[in-house]
């Protein structure tokens, strides 16, 4: 039943006596009535009454329990009928477009042999599938594995259009050129400090850091006689359309001979750039994690490196174990700067 009030606000009364007040709640109600949202996004159970506000899907009570175990940084769960919703949370759900839109991203590449759980699935079956789908993001293309914690903006537009279209096609209107090289943005690298660096002189070293991206080269100042140097220096690199990894080397400065190398590493900037491109204007979002570069035997990471929106900026803390050297670690902070900023 719809009641019109003198203030031009209206109230929607449900059969279970839950009340939706105002235009925003009506938008959520209308979204829930869409055909694809009448079943749980993860198991197909009818009439879901819960939602993940930062993923943008409606889910049933049983799947809701698994979502809660993921943590709110991955899935923030609210009851459609019992909880208070902010306008931002409702806007995010509406802009995603519902279960079909979200599943077109999160279930785009389900491998053979993996079946989606049904309404009668066990807790273990649900947990395994949901964690694979959202936490590990195994059903996305590897290059699109970002954490969708967004509160505003369209998940479908961000992940599908902005990554597959804008990022890979790289519209010329959002790029600047220098000669024949097209740049898509700037990378600010703050070299914070080194720890337990290798000895290259009698008892110590005079370390400095050099970084390369394409034909660009930047370096820090030299810190005299220090195996645990603190730089806190910011270096800038232009990122070309066909970028690769940032190559990093640490050297010991020698006055009368060639500088000695003190280790090296590579920084994969694709997770940061992919995440930044997908979310667009970072200033529209609150502080949140939006991506991750995973530690593996193939890289120099000491631990997983998360990509975050912090005060409207896309940043990433990186801790590296220097390679091809007896000891040494390096702490960095990356920041992505789009060309229109």
């Amino acid at each position: 039943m719809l009641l019109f009030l003198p203030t031009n606000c209206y109230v929607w009364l449900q059969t279970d006596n839950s009340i939706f007040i105002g235009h925003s709640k009506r938008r959520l109600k209308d979204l829930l009535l869409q055909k694809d949202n009448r079943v749980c996004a993860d198991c197909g159970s009818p009439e879901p009454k819960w939602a993940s506000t930062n993923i943008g899907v409606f889910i049933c009570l049983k799947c809701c329990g698994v979502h809660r175990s993921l943590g709110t940084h991955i899935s923030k769960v609210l009851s459609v009928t019992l909880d208070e919703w902010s306008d931002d949370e409702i806007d995010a759900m509406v802009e995603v477009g519902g279960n079909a839109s979200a599943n077109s991203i999160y279930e785009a590449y389900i491998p053979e042999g993996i079946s989606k759980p049904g309404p009668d699935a066990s807790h273990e079956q649900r947990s395994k599938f949901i964690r694979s789908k959202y936490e590990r993001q195994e059903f996305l293309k590897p290059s699109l594995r970002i954490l969708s914690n967004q509160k505003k903006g369209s998940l479908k537009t961000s992940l599908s259009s902005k990554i597959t279209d804008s990022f890979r096609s790289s519209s010329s209107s959002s790029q600047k050129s220098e000669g024949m090289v097209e740049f898509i943005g700037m990378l600010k690298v703050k070299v914070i400090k080194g720890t337990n660096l290798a000895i290259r002189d009698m008892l110590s070293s005079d370390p400095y850091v050099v970084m390369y991206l394409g034909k660009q080269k930047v370096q820090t100042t030299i810190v005299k006689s220090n195996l645990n140097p603190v730089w806190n220096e910011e270096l800038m690199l232009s990122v070309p359309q066909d970028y690769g990894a940032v190559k990093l080397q640490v050297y010991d400065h020698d006055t009368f001979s060639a500088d000695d190398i003190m280790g090296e590493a590579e920084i994969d900037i694709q997770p940061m750039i992919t995440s930044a491109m997908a979310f667009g204007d970072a200033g529209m979002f609150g502080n949140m994690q939006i991506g991750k570069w995973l530690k593996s035997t193939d890289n120099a990471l000491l631990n997983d490196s998360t990509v975050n929106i912090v005060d409207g900026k896309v940043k990433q803390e990186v801790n590296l174990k220097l390679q091809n050297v007896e000891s040494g670690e390096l702490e960095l902070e990356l920041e992505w700067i789009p060309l229109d900023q």
Side-chain angles (χ1 to χ4, degrees):
M1 178 174 60
L2 194 62
L3 302 180
F4 289 92
L5 305 179
T7 57
N8 293 324
C9 179
Y10 50 81
V11 179
W12 179 269
L13 299 182
Q14 283 190 297
T15 56
D16 63 355
N17 294 325
S18 298
I19 301 177
F20 289 84
I21 302 178
H23 178 63
S24 294
K25 288 292 183 72
R26 177 59 191 272
R27 293 165 65 212
L28 181 64
K29 172 74 175 181
D30 291 342
L31 184 64
L32 184 59
L33 292 176
Q34 286 183 193
K35 182 178 180 181
D36 59 310
N37 297 330
R38 294 178 185 175
V39 297
C40 173
D42 297 328
C43 75
S45 294
E47 303 302 326
K49 296 298 182 184
W50 297 82
S52 171
T53 62
N54 48 358
I55 294 175
V57 292
F58 292 98
I59 53 178
C60 69
L61 179 61
K62 292 181 179 179
C63 289
C64 164
V66 180
H67 275 255
R68 287 189 184 278
S69 71
L70 300 178
T72 56
H73 63 291
I74 295 177
S75 182
K76 181 181 178 182
V77 177
L78 290 179
S79 167
V80 174
T81 58
L82 301 177
D83 289 322
E84 291 294 326
W85 287 61
S86 69
D87 288 341
D88 286 350
E89 288 163 342
I90 294 174
D91 288 343
M93 293 291 297
V94 171
E95 290 184 42
V96 168
N99 292 352
S101 296
N103 281 346
S104 71
I105 303 298
Y106 282 100
E107 296 182 1
Y109 298 92
I110 298 180
E112 292 185 10
I114 294 181
S115 299
K116 187 171 180 175
D120 298 325
S122 66
H123 177 77
E124 289 73 17
Q125 290 172 319
R126 293 174 196 272
S127 181
K128 183 178 180 180
F129 181 82
I130 289 170
R131 288 187 178 276
S132 295
K133 180 178 177 179
Y134 301 113
E135 184 177 48
R136 295 189 290 273
Q137 298 181 343
E138 294 176 353
F139 310 143
L140 287 139
K141 287 184 177 180
S143 61
L144 302 187
R145 290 178 184 174
I146 70 171
L147 295 182
S148 47
N149 296 341
Q150 68 193 88
K151 298 179 182 178
K152 300 179 183 178
S154 168
L155 173 64
K156 185 175 182 181
T157 298
S158 295
L159 292 178
S160 182
S161 299
K162 288 189 178 180
I163 293 178
T164 60
D165 295 332
S166 299
F167 178 62
R168 294 188 176 178
S169 298
S170 298
S171 170
S172 59
S173 63
S174 63
Q175 300 174 344
K176 294 181 181 177
S177 300
E178 182 178 298
M180 296 300 293
V181 180
E182 292 183 337
F183 293 100
I184 59 173
M186 300 288 293
L187 182 69
K188 180 191 293 184
V189 183
K190 184 176 183 179
V191 183
I192 299 173
K193 66 179 182 179
T195 304
N196 194 29
L197 300 184
I199 296 174
R200 287 295 180 267
D201 296 328
M202 290 295 293
L203 298 174
S204 188
S205 295
D206 302 326
Y208 64 95
V209 178
V210 182
M211 283 181 286
Y212 304 87
L213 182 60
K215 295 182 179 180
Q216 301 169 79
K217 174 184 175 182
V218 292
Q219 72 178 63
T220 66
T221 57
I222 299 166
V223 179
K224 294 289 187 179
S225 301
N226 199 326
L227 300 181
N228 298 285
V230 176
W231 283 283
N232 283 322
E233 292 185 25
E234 294 181 346
L235 307 174
M236 298 291 290
L237 291 164
S238 298
V239 180
Q241 179 180 358
D242 298 321
Y243 62 87
V246 174
K247 299 183 185 299
L248 177 151
Q249 294 177 324
V250 180
Y251 284 94
D252 168 52
H253 175 69
D254 287 322
T255 303
F256 301 108
S257 62
D259 292 350
D260 300 315
I261 193 164
M262 300 171 62
E264 57 190 350
E266 289 192 354
I267 305 169
D268 184 0
I269 58 176
Q270 181 178 358
M272 167 175 259
I273 296 175
T274 300
S275 301
M277 292 286 189
F279 276 75
D281 184 2
M284 294 176 59
F285 303 92
N287 294 351
M288 67 182 77
Q289 180 179 323
I290 62 171
K292 184 182 291 188
W293 178 24
L294 298 175
K295 178 182 183 296
S296 74
T297 56
D298 297 326
N299 60 46
L301 283 177
L302 283 167
N303 42 50
D304 290 350
S305 174
T306 59
V307 181
N308 301 283
I309 294 178
V310 181
D311 298 331
K313 300 177 181 179
V314 177
K315 294 187 175 184
Q316 180 177 2
E317 294 182 358
V318 178
N319 293 288
L320 300 171
K321 180 176 178 60
L322 295 173
Q323 306 293 292
N324 303 316
V325 68
E326 58 270 28
S327 65
E329 299 174 4
L330 213 59
E331 182 179 339
L332 312 171
E333 182 186 77
L334 312 183
E335 180 183 337
W336 172 251
I337 303 174
L339 289 179
D340 57 1
Q341 188 169 313

Short mmCIF file of all heavy atoms in Angstrom, two decimals, residues 59-89:
data_model
loop_
_atom_site.label_atom_id
_atom_site.label_comp_id
_atom_site.label_asym_id
_atom_site.label_seq_id
_atom_site.Cartn_x
_atom_site.Cartn_y
_atom_site.Cartn_z
N ILE A 59 21.19 -11.34 -1.81
CA ILE A 59 21.56 -12.71 -1.42
C ILE A 59 20.58 -13.23 -0.36
O ILE A 59 19.90 -12.45 0.30
CB ILE A 59 23.00 -12.77 -0.88
CG1 ILE A 59 23.20 -11.74 0.23
CG2 ILE A 59 24.00 -12.55 -2.01
CD1 ILE A 59 24.58 -11.75 0.87
N CYS A 60 20.58 -14.55 -0.21
CA CYS A 60 19.70 -15.17 0.78
C CYS A 60 20.38 -15.21 2.15
O CYS A 60 21.56 -14.88 2.30
CB CYS A 60 19.34 -16.59 0.33
SG CYS A 60 20.73 -17.75 0.36
N LEU A 61 19.63 -15.65 3.16
CA LEU A 61 20.13 -15.68 4.53
C LEU A 61 21.33 -16.62 4.66
O LEU A 61 22.31 -16.30 5.35
CB LEU A 61 19.01 -16.10 5.48
CG LEU A 61 19.38 -16.21 6.96
CD1 LEU A 61 19.85 -14.86 7.48
CD2 LEU A 61 18.19 -16.72 7.77
N LYS A 62 21.28 -17.78 4.02
CA LYS A 62 22.38 -18.74 4.14
C LYS A 62 23.65 -18.21 3.51
O LYS A 62 24.74 -18.35 4.07
CB LYS A 62 21.98 -20.08 3.51
CG LYS A 62 20.88 -20.81 4.27
CD LYS A 62 20.54 -22.15 3.61
CE LYS A 62 19.45 -22.88 4.39
NZ LYS A 62 19.10 -24.19 3.74
N CYS A 63 23.54 -17.60 2.33
CA CYS A 63 24.73 -17.03 1.69
C CYS A 63 25.20 -15.77 2.43
O CYS A 63 26.39 -15.46 2.44
CB CYS A 63 24.44 -16.70 0.22
SG CYS A 63 24.25 -18.17 -0.82
N CYS A 64 24.25 -15.10 3.06
CA CYS A 64 24.59 -13.92 3.86
C CYS A 64 25.62 -14.26 4.93
O CYS A 64 26.55 -13.49 5.19
CB CYS A 64 23.33 -13.35 4.48
SG CYS A 64 23.60 -12.19 5.83
N GLY A 65 25.47 -15.42 5.56
CA GLY A 65 26.41 -15.83 6.60
C GLY A 65 27.83 -15.96 6.08
O GLY A 65 28.79 -15.57 6.76
N VAL A 66 27.96 -16.48 4.86
CA VAL A 66 29.30 -16.61 4.27
C VAL A 66 29.85 -15.23 3.94
O VAL A 66 31.03 -14.94 4.17
CB VAL A 66 29.26 -17.50 3.02
CG1 VAL A 66 30.65 -17.63 2.42
CG2 VAL A 66 28.69 -18.88 3.34
N HIS A 67 29.01 -14.37 3.39
CA HIS A 67 29.45 -13.01 3.05
C HIS A 67 29.97 -12.28 4.29
O HIS A 67 30.99 -11.59 4.22
CB HIS A 67 28.30 -12.22 2.42
CG HIS A 67 28.15 -12.43 0.95
ND1 HIS A 67 28.54 -11.50 0.01
CD2 HIS A 67 27.67 -13.49 0.25
CE1 HIS A 67 28.29 -11.96 -1.20
NE2 HIS A 67 27.75 -13.17 -1.09
N ARG A 68 29.28 -12.43 5.41
CA ARG A 68 29.73 -11.77 6.64
C ARG A 68 31.12 -12.26 7.05
O ARG A 68 31.93 -11.49 7.58
CB ARG A 68 28.73 -12.01 7.76
CG ARG A 68 27.43 -11.24 7.60
CD ARG A 68 26.58 -11.36 8.87
NE ARG A 68 25.29 -10.72 8.72
CZ ARG A 68 25.07 -9.42 8.87
NH1 ARG A 68 26.08 -8.61 9.13
NH2 ARG A 68 23.86 -8.92 8.74
N SER A 69 31.38 -13.53 6.81
CA SER A 69 32.69 -14.08 7.20
C SER A 69 33.82 -13.56 6.33
O SER A 69 34.99 -13.67 6.71
CB SER A 69 32.65 -15.62 7.13
OG SER A 69 32.61 -16.07 5.78
N LEU A 70 33.51 -12.97 5.17
CA LEU A 70 34.54 -12.42 4.29
C LEU A 70 35.12 -11.12 4.84
O LEU A 70 36.24 -10.74 4.48
CB LEU A 70 33.96 -12.15 2.89
CG LEU A 70 33.39 -13.33 2.12
CD1 LEU A 70 32.83 -12.86 0.78
CD2 LEU A 70 34.43 -14.41 1.90
N GLY A 71 34.34 -10.45 5.70
CA GLY A 71 34.76 -9.15 6.20
C GLY A 71 34.15 -8.03 5.38
O GLY A 71 33.92 -8.18 4.17
N THR A 72 33.90 -6.89 6.01
CA THR A 72 33.24 -5.79 5.32
C THR A 72 34.12 -5.15 4.25
O THR A 72 33.62 -4.43 3.38
CB THR A 72 32.82 -4.70 6.32
OG1 THR A 72 33.97 -4.27 7.06
CG2 THR A 72 31.78 -5.24 7.28
N HIS A 73 35.44 -5.38 4.30
CA HIS A 73 36.30 -4.85 3.24
C HIS A 73 36.04 -5.55 1.92
O HIS A 73 36.40 -5.04 0.86
CB HIS A 73 37.78 -4.98 3.63
CG HIS A 73 38.25 -6.38 3.79
ND1 HIS A 73 37.82 -7.19 4.83
CD2 HIS A 73 39.10 -7.14 3.04
CE1 HIS A 73 38.40 -8.38 4.72
NE2 HIS A 73 39.17 -8.37 3.65
N ILE A 74 35.42 -6.73 1.96
CA ILE A 74 35.06 -7.45 0.74
C ILE A 74 33.56 -7.36 0.50
O ILE A 74 33.10 -7.06 -0.61
CB ILE A 74 35.51 -8.92 0.80
CG1 ILE A 74 37.04 -9.00 0.85
CG2 ILE A 74 34.98 -9.71 -0.41
CD1 ILE A 74 37.58 -10.41 0.97
N SER A 75 32.76 -7.64 1.54
CA SER A 75 31.31 -7.65 1.37
C SER A 75 30.65 -7.08 2.62
O SER A 75 30.75 -7.66 3.70
CB SER A 75 30.81 -9.08 1.11
OG SER A 75 29.42 -9.09 0.90
N LYS A 76 29.98 -5.95 2.46
CA LYS A 76 29.24 -5.34 3.56
C LYS A 76 27.77 -5.71 3.41
O LYS A 76 27.11 -5.31 2.46
CB LYS A 76 29.40 -3.82 3.54
CG LYS A 76 28.67 -3.14 4.69
CD LYS A 76 28.82 -1.63 4.65
CE LYS A 76 28.04 -0.97 5.78
NZ LYS A 76 28.15 0.51 5.72
N VAL A 77 27.27 -6.48 4.35
CA VAL A 77 25.94 -7.05 4.24
C VAL A 77 24.93 -6.24 5.05
O VAL A 77 25.19 -5.88 6.20
CB VAL A 77 25.94 -8.52 4.72
CG1 VAL A 77 24.54 -9.09 4.67
CG2 VAL A 77 26.89 -9.35 3.88
N LEU A 78 23.78 -5.95 4.43
CA LEU A 78 22.67 -5.29 5.11
C LEU A 78 21.37 -6.05 4.81
O LEU A 78 21.22 -6.64 3.74
CB LEU A 78 22.51 -3.84 4.64
CG LEU A 78 23.58 -2.83 5.05
CD1 LEU A 78 23.25 -1.46 4.47
CD2 LEU A 78 23.72 -2.74 6.56
N SER A 79 20.45 -6.01 5.75
CA SER A 79 19.11 -6.54 5.52
C SER A 79 18.30 -5.53 4.72
O SER A 79 18.33 -4.33 5.00
CB SER A 79 18.42 -6.83 6.86
OG SER A 79 17.04 -7.05 6.65
N VAL A 80 17.58 -6.02 3.73
CA VAL A 80 16.75 -5.14 2.91
C VAL A 80 15.61 -4.55 3.75
O VAL A 80 15.20 -3.41 3.53
CB VAL A 80 16.19 -5.91 1.70
CG1 VAL A 80 15.20 -5.06 0.91
CG2 VAL A 80 17.33 -6.37 0.80
N THR A 81 15.13 -5.30 4.72
CA THR A 81 13.94 -4.88 5.47
C THR A 81 14.23 -4.41 6.89
O THR A 81 13.44 -3.67 7.47
CB THR A 81 12.93 -6.05 5.56
OG1 THR A 81 13.57 -7.17 6.18
CG2 THR A 81 12.44 -6.43 4.18
N LEU A 82 15.36 -4.81 7.47
CA LEU A 82 15.60 -4.53 8.88
C LEU A 82 16.61 -3.42 9.14
O LEU A 82 16.54 -2.75 10.17
CB LEU A 82 16.06 -5.80 9.59
CG LEU A 82 15.11 -7.00 9.54
CD1 LEU A 82 15.74 -8.19 10.23
CD2 LEU A 82 13.77 -6.66 10.18
N ASP A 83 17.57 -3.24 8.24
CA ASP A 83 18.64 -2.28 8.47
C ASP A 83 18.35 -0.92 7.86
O ASP A 83 17.59 -0.80 6.89
CB ASP A 83 19.96 -2.81 7.88
CG ASP A 83 20.51 -3.98 8.68
OD1 ASP A 83 20.38 -3.96 9.92
OD2 ASP A 83 21.06 -4.91 8.06
N GLU A 84 18.99 0.11 8.42
CA GLU A 84 18.95 1.44 7.84
C GLU A 84 19.99 1.54 6.73
O GLU A 84 21.13 1.13 6.91
CB GLU A 84 19.23 2.50 8.91
CG GLU A 84 18.12 2.65 9.94
CD GLU A 84 16.84 3.19 9.32
OE1 GLU A 84 16.95 4.00 8.38
OE2 GLU A 84 15.75 2.79 9.76
N TRP A 85 19.60 2.09 5.60
CA TRP A 85 20.48 2.22 4.45
C TRP A 85 20.79 3.70 4.23
O TRP A 85 19.91 4.55 4.32
CB TRP A 85 19.81 1.68 3.19
CG TRP A 85 19.72 0.18 3.12
CD1 TRP A 85 19.07 -0.65 3.98
CD2 TRP A 85 20.27 -0.65 2.11
NE1 TRP A 85 19.19 -1.96 3.58
CE2 TRP A 85 19.93 -1.99 2.42
CE3 TRP A 85 21.03 -0.41 0.96
CZ2 TRP A 85 20.30 -3.07 1.63
CZ3 TRP A 85 21.40 -1.48 0.17
CH2 TRP A 85 21.05 -2.79 0.51
N SER A 86 22.05 3.98 3.90
CA SER A 86 22.40 5.35 3.51
C SER A 86 22.06 5.55 2.03
O SER A 86 21.90 4.59 1.27
CB SER A 86 23.89 5.60 3.73
OG SER A 86 24.66 4.85 2.80
N ASP A 87 21.95 6.80 1.63
CA ASP A 87 21.68 7.09 0.22
C ASP A 87 22.82 6.56 -0.66
O ASP A 87 22.56 6.08 -1.78
CB ASP A 87 21.54 8.61 0.01
CG ASP A 87 20.23 9.15 0.59
OD1 ASP A 87 19.31 8.33 0.81
OD2 ASP A 87 20.15 10.36 0.82
N ASP A 88 24.06 6.65 -0.18
CA ASP A 88 25.19 6.15 -0.96
C ASP A 88 25.09 4.65 -1.19
O ASP A 88 25.39 4.16 -2.29
CB ASP A 88 26.51 6.46 -0.25
CG ASP A 88 26.89 7.93 -0.33
OD1 ASP A 88 26.23 8.66 -1.10
OD2 ASP A 88 27.83 8.34 0.36
N GLU A 89 24.67 3.92 -0.18
CA GLU A 89 24.54 2.45 -0.32
C GLU A 89 23.44 2.09 -1.31
O GLU A 89 23.60 1.18 -2.13
CB GLU A 89 24.26 1.84 1.05
CG GLU A 89 25.48 1.87 1.97
CD GLU A 89 25.15 1.64 3.42
OE1 GLU A 89 23.96 1.79 3.81
OE2 GLU A 89 26.07 1.31 4.19
#
